[in-house]
Amino acid sequence: MKLQTRYSNHPEDVKKYTTDDLRRNFLIQPVFIVDEANLTYSHIDRIIVGGIMPVKKALTLTAGKEMGVDTFFERREGGIINIGGAGTITLDGKAYEMNNQDGLYIGMGVKNIQFTAKDEKNPPKFYFNSAPAHQAYPSTLITLEDAKKVHLGAGDTSNKRVINQYVHPDVVKSCQLVMGMTILATGSVWNTMPSHTHERRMEAYFYFDMDADTRVFHLMGEPNETRHIVMGNEEAVLSPSWSIHSGCGTGRYTFIWGMCGENITFTDMDHVAMADLK
């Protein structure tokens, strides 16, 4: 297992960042590495973000010095959405068959976890978020059909989309992790506009299902000091609570979002008027 650490960033400092500074501090690339659990530990609300891609061998998660515990989920919960081929996740001996677009909530206290592929020619790609937890809730398989559907936006504003809420109070219980996948309608390119912030929760985005030449311009920064990070297929980005959450693609894309922080209220956000964006 690979685990790198990222530290928190003050908005006054970020105003002075170069393009390279922004990418080094907030962009996560690559997310998936063959036969690796490739994770990033962020000091922004202690979220862990990454990709787990078993191909020829089984993979597991271990707790190192960064976490200060004996097992990975001793004081944590997790969420996974599979964007690849079929695979299996085994939690303390119980196997969960994971097809494309299937999700899994992993409750605090799981001791042994293993990831395997069904077919090494079409391996799974388990996108993973984890947050600190204070109570054990049942681990639960969540299919796309199980996810709560929220229809937002419109074609004439280029942001028609369906928000599929996987780890959400109306679907499964969690301590602070909220996670889901947004699918944009054909011709829509904005993932959130008008933009918003949510001071009480950070967010991580993972962009995928993109053509080779497609790029997403992920917008961040304070509303009156916006910045952008240009992102390719299967890349993730950390979005602090003080930052706007928005992005626009040059072509089709899908994205997975995950949040943790003070609450699990999805609608708790502070909208930003278009006239206030700079």
Side-chain angles (χ1 to χ4, degrees):
M1 187 183 86
K2 293 183 178 179
L3 182 65
Q4 64 163 300
T5 300
R6 302 278 183 94
Y7 291 96
S8 300
N9 309 81
H10 194 285
E12 289 298 321
D13 294 330
V14 175
K15 291 178 183 180
K16 307 177 183 68
Y17 282 8
T18 65
T19 297
D20 286 343
D21 291 335
L22 288 173
R23 295 175 71 85
R24 185 175 63 255
N25 282 275
F26 300 106
L27 181 65
I28 299 173
Q29 61 172 181
V31 170
F32 293 109
I33 299 175
V34 170
D35 281 330
E36 288 283 359
N38 181 40
L39 308 179
T40 296
Y41 181 108
S42 172
H43 281 243
I44 306 173
D45 287 316
R46 303 285 172 173
I47 195 170
I48 293 178
V49 177
I52 302 162
M53 189 179 175
V55 179
K56 293 181 180 294
K57 62 182 182 180
L59 300 178
T60 189
L61 298 180
T62 57
K65 183 178 179 181
E66 296 87 352
M67 300 170 66
V69 290
D70 294 327
T71 59
F72 192 97
F73 291 103
E74 183 175 327
R75 298 179 62 84
R76 280 187 168 269
E77 61 187 352
I80 287 172
I81 297 177
N82 181 20
I83 68 161
T88 303
I89 300 176
T90 305
L91 306 178
D92 290 338
K94 183 176 180 179
Y96 295 84
E97 303 301 322
M98 300 285 294
N99 295 311
N100 183 263
Q101 296 185 327
D102 282 350
L104 182 67
Y105 170 75
I106 303 170
M108 185 184 76
V110 169
K111 290 183 170 57
N112 299 301
I113 181 168
Q114 188 176 74
F115 305 86
T116 55
K118 290 288 188 182
D119 180 0
E120 66 181 54
K121 294 181 180 178
N122 183 26
K125 292 181 176 181
F126 297 121
Y127 177 68
F128 177 67
N129 285 178
S130 174
H134 58 273
Q135 181 172 332
Y137 290 113
S139 299
T140 306
L141 178 69
I142 311 148
T143 67
L144 180 62
E145 291 71 28
D146 296 330
K148 181 181 178 181
K149 308 291 190 294
V150 179
H151 297 263
L152 291 177
D156 59 359
T157 50
S158 303
N159 66 350
K160 186 176 182 180
R161 61 204 189 275
V162 179
I163 299 175
N164 298 279
Q165 297 170 333
Y166 284 69
V167 182
H168 181 276
D170 291 337
V171 182
V172 297
K173 289 185 177 181
S174 67
C175 292
Q176 64 163 316
L177 181 66
V178 183
M179 189 175 181
M181 179 172 68
T182 298
I183 301 175
L184 280 73
T186 301
S188 287
V189 293
W190 286 100
N191 61 49
T192 304
M193 188 56 73
S195 190
H196 65 270
T197 63
H198 28 75
E199 279 285 345
R200 293 148 295 280
R201 291 172 297 158
M202 65 81 64
E203 192 161 6
Y205 288 82
F206 171 69
Y207 295 101
F208 69 104
D209 194 25
M210 297 162 58
D211 294 329
D213 290 335
T214 297
R215 293 294 181 270
V216 169
F217 286 72
H218 178 80
L219 302 180
M220 63 168 297
E222 294 178 291
N224 62 347
E225 286 278 352
T226 60
R227 301 289 187 269
H228 70 268
I229 298 177
V230 181
M231 300 180 60
N233 190 40
E234 297 187 0
E235 295 180 349
V237 64
L238 300 168
S239 190
S241 57
W242 49 261
S243 172
I244 63 170
H245 301 77
S246 194
C248 186
T250 62
R252 68 177 180 88
Y253 66 96
T254 304
F255 68 99
I256 296 172
W257 45 268
M259 295 182 283
C260 65
E262 188 67 26
N263 62 35
I264 55 174
T265 306
F266 182 84
T267 55
D268 179 20
M269 58 186 72
D270 303 310
H271 295 281
V272 180
M274 296 296 291
D276 294 334
L277 284 177
K278 296 180 182 178

